[in-house]
């Protein structure tokens, strides 16, 4: 008999949580009947501003398998997942969203697969981005293309955080206490053998998404900075390119002057060149700044989250 921990990060999920609990409870029954395994719930309240905590406490009062961690403020889903993994006692640990976008019934199959011993992790990826704004899908695709090109870590397009992993893999993830967490990259980085289950995207059951386009955009930058140093080389590449172009120009101007003399003109073209080079320099300094800010935050060694209450 094994214990399966279900870690659920929750931020303002008072509407979705009752649905989630009800549905997942049925799955827990299924697992118990079919495989004989027990389930525990770990709800991580990520500083919700609504009544999420009351809902969780109510569940915990009624069901001894429900435990919780509550943060002092909103620390973000990444921190919530870390805290949940840390609190989990199971032999197999699952990460799941509270909005039922991750179908809990997959857990049965996931557990069966892991128990066979061939895989260390069963993860899910959605095959379509239907129901998502077109521009968002476009940028998401571009992001995955880019990051897989410039990073050695494999980051799977459409991968969700929903997965079941062995204790060994969870411990490996816990051994990465970095402040700037990008889970999709972390799961790839730790390695282990992962089986991918594909499923069609579903809408969230209640409440609304916490991700605006802008938040997603910043998150993608974080992913790039966390798992690739390629942008840092950009300055050198531009620099070399500019040198070559400038050399060509110098030769061209010398030859032209020798043949036709030196009529002074070309003010607009000079402005263009100055602005272009200035722009490239600012871009490169900006990239340096991105990495520097991450280094700055890492060196502070601040905790990933602060716990206010737990059970
Ligand atoms: N979440 C969280 N902290 C946050 C934002 C989100 O713990 O700051 C949780 C949220 O409660 C949900 C999961 O992360 O369980 C996924 O969030 P959401 O459904 O808003 O994201 P989406 O599915 O739209 O990508
Ligand atoms: Mg969701």
């Amino acid at each position: 008999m094994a214990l399966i921990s279900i870690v659920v990060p929750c931020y303002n999920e008072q509407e979705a949580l009752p649905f989630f609990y009800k549905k997942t409870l049925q799955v827990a029954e299924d697992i118990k009947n079919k495989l004989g395994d027990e389930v525990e719930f770990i709800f991580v309240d990520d500083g919700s501003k609504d009544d999420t905590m009351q809902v969780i406490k109510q569940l915990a009062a009624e069901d001894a398998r429900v435990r919780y961690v509550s943060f002092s403020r909103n620390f973000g889903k990444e921190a919530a997942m870390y805290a949940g993994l840390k609190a989990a006692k199971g032999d197999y640990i699952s990460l799941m969203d509270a909005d039922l976008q991750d179908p809990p019934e997959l857990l049965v199959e996931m557990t069966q697969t892991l128990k066979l011993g061939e895989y260390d992790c069963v993860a899910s990826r959605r095959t379509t981005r239907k129901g998502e704004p077109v521009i968002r899908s476009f940028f998401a695709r571009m992001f995955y293309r880019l990051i897989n090109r410039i990073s050695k870590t494999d980051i799977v397009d459409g991968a969700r955080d929903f997965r079941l992993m062995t204790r060994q893999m969870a411990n490996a993830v816990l051994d990465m206490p970095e402040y700037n967490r990008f889970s999709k990259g972390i799961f790839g980085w730790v390695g282990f053998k992962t089986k991918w289950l594909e499923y069609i995207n579903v809408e969230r059951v209640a409440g609304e998404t916490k991700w605006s386009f802008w938040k997603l955009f910043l998150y993608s930058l974080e992913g790039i900075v966390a798992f690739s140093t390629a942008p840092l080389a950009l300055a050198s590449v531009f620099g070399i390119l500019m040198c070559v172009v400038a050399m060509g120009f110098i030769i061209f101007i010398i030859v032209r002057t020798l043949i036709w003399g030196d009529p002074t003109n070309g003010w607009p073209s000079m402005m263009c060149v100055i602005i272009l080079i200035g722009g490239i320099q600012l871009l490169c300094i900006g990239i340096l700044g991105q990495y520097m800010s991450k280094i700055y935050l890492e060196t502070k060694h601040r905790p990933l989250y602060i716990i206010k209450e737990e059970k």
Side-chain angles (χ1 to χ4, degrees), residues 247-262:
M247 281 295 178
F249 247 126
I250 290 169
I251 294 168
F252 169 72
I253 285 170
I254 290 175
V255 171
R256 196 182 62 173
T257 312
L258 288 179
I259 299 175
W260 287 291
D262 184 22

Side-chain angles (χ1 to χ4, degrees), residues 8-13 44 46 74-77 80 96-99 101 136 160 204 208-211 215:
V8 193
C10 310
Y11 179 54
N12 295 346
E13 298 285 7
V44 184
D46 185 10
N74 180 248
F75 280 90
K77 188 184 177 189
M96 217 186 267
D97 285 1
D99 56 11
Q101 275 186 308
R136 185 184 279 201
R160 295 195 50 95
R204 64 161 39 239
E208 53 194 51
T209 176
K210 277 88 205 167
W211 292 92
K215 253 178 132 178

Side-chain angles (χ1 to χ4, degrees), residues 19-306:
F19 291 104
F20 173 85
Y21 177 72
K22 206 169 148 223
K23 182 103 184 263
T24 315
L25 210 57
Q26 283 169 7
V27 176
E29 288 290 309
D30 266 8
I31 290 179
K32 175 106 196 148
N33 294 336
K34 283 190 191 146
L35 311 169
D37 298 327
E38 291 292 336
V39 165
E40 67 165 355
F41 294 89
I42 292 139
F43 292 105
V44 184
D45 166 42
D46 185 10
S48 299
K49 294 186 178 67
D50 64 359
D51 291 334
T52 301
M53 204 48 223
Q54 276 90 309
V55 177
I56 294 175
K57 277 189 172 159
Q58 181 71 32
L59 295 178
E62 289 164 5
D63 187 344
R65 292 171 296 181
V66 174
R67 291 195 288 130
Y68 59 81
V69 178
S70 174
F71 288 175
S72 62
R73 64 167 171 85
N74 180 248
F75 280 90
K77 188 184 177 189
E78 297 288 342
M81 289 195 292
Y82 189 87
L85 283 183
K86 208 161 190 182
K89 293 181 181 146
D91 309 295
Y92 301 104
I93 297 148
S94 161
L95 293 168
M96 217 186 267
D97 285 1
D99 56 11
L100 284 180
Q101 275 186 308
D102 304 328
E105 56 274 13
L106 280 183
L107 265 186
V108 184
E109 188 186 339
M110 287 174 157
T111 314
Q112 274 168 335
T113 308
L114 282 197
K115 280 185 144 181
L116 293 177
E118 190 190 343
Y119 292 97
D120 306 286
C121 178
V122 187
S124 64
R125 71 183 277 266
R126 49 184 186 166
T127 46
T128 65
R129 291 184 170 272
K130 240 170 63 193
E132 202 183 55
V134 184
I135 309 177
R136 185 184 279 201
S137 305
F138 173 74
F139 276 100
R141 287 227 175 79
M142 296 278 286
F143 166 71
Y144 285 109
R145 266 229 195 111
L146 175 71
I147 197 160
N148 278 311
R149 203 162 257 181
I150 62 177
S151 169
K152 287 196 194 93
T153 309
D154 192 24
I155 291 163
V156 180
D157 187 1
R160 295 195 50 95
D161 291 324
F162 178 34
R163 55 182 64 226
L164 183 74
M165 57 196 142
T166 57
R167 162 86 359 219
Q168 191 189 20
M169 179 163 169
N171 285 345
V173 172
L174 285 173
D175 276 340
M176 293 177 78
E178 58 203 71
Y179 187 78
N180 296 291
R181 302 188 75 74
F182 184 71
S183 280
K184 288 181 186 3
I186 290 176
F187 291 130
W189 195 91
V190 295
F192 293 104
K193 208 164 168 205
T194 300
K195 180 174 179 180
W196 291 95
L197 297 183
E198 301 196 335
Y199 71 97
I200 311 270
N201 197 26
V202 286
E203 301 278 317
R204 64 161 39 239
V205 59
E208 53 194 51
T209 176
K210 277 88 205 167
W211 292 92
S212 62
F213 183 80
W214 183 239
K215 253 178 132 178
L216 273 177
F217 179 71
L218 292 179
Y219 185 60
S220 68
L221 285 190
E222 224 156 83
I224 291 175
V225 174
F227 282 92
S228 170
T229 50
L232 283 174
L234 222 57
S236 323
V237 173
F238 277 138
I240 292 169
L241 222 69
M242 289 283 161
C243 284
V244 172
V245 173
M247 281 295 178
F249 247 126
I250 290 169
I251 294 168
F252 169 72
I253 285 170
I254 290 175
V255 171
R256 196 182 62 173
T257 312
L258 288 179
I259 299 175
W260 287 291
D262 184 22
T264 312
N265 55 25
W267 163 251
S269 56
M270 200 167 80
M271 280 315 287
C272 292
V273 172
I274 290 176
I275 292 172
L276 174 71
I277 295 178
I280 290 174
Q281 282 175 338
L282 285 181
L283 173 73
C284 293
I285 295 174
I287 291 172
L288 278 181
Q290 282 292 322
Y291 282 87
M292 217 187 68
S293 68
K294 298 296 173 204
I295 298 170
Y296 176 61
L297 286 174
E298 292 288 352
T299 53
K300 288 187 179 208
H301 295 299
R302 284 182 180 162
L304 291 175
Y305 52 83
I306 293 167

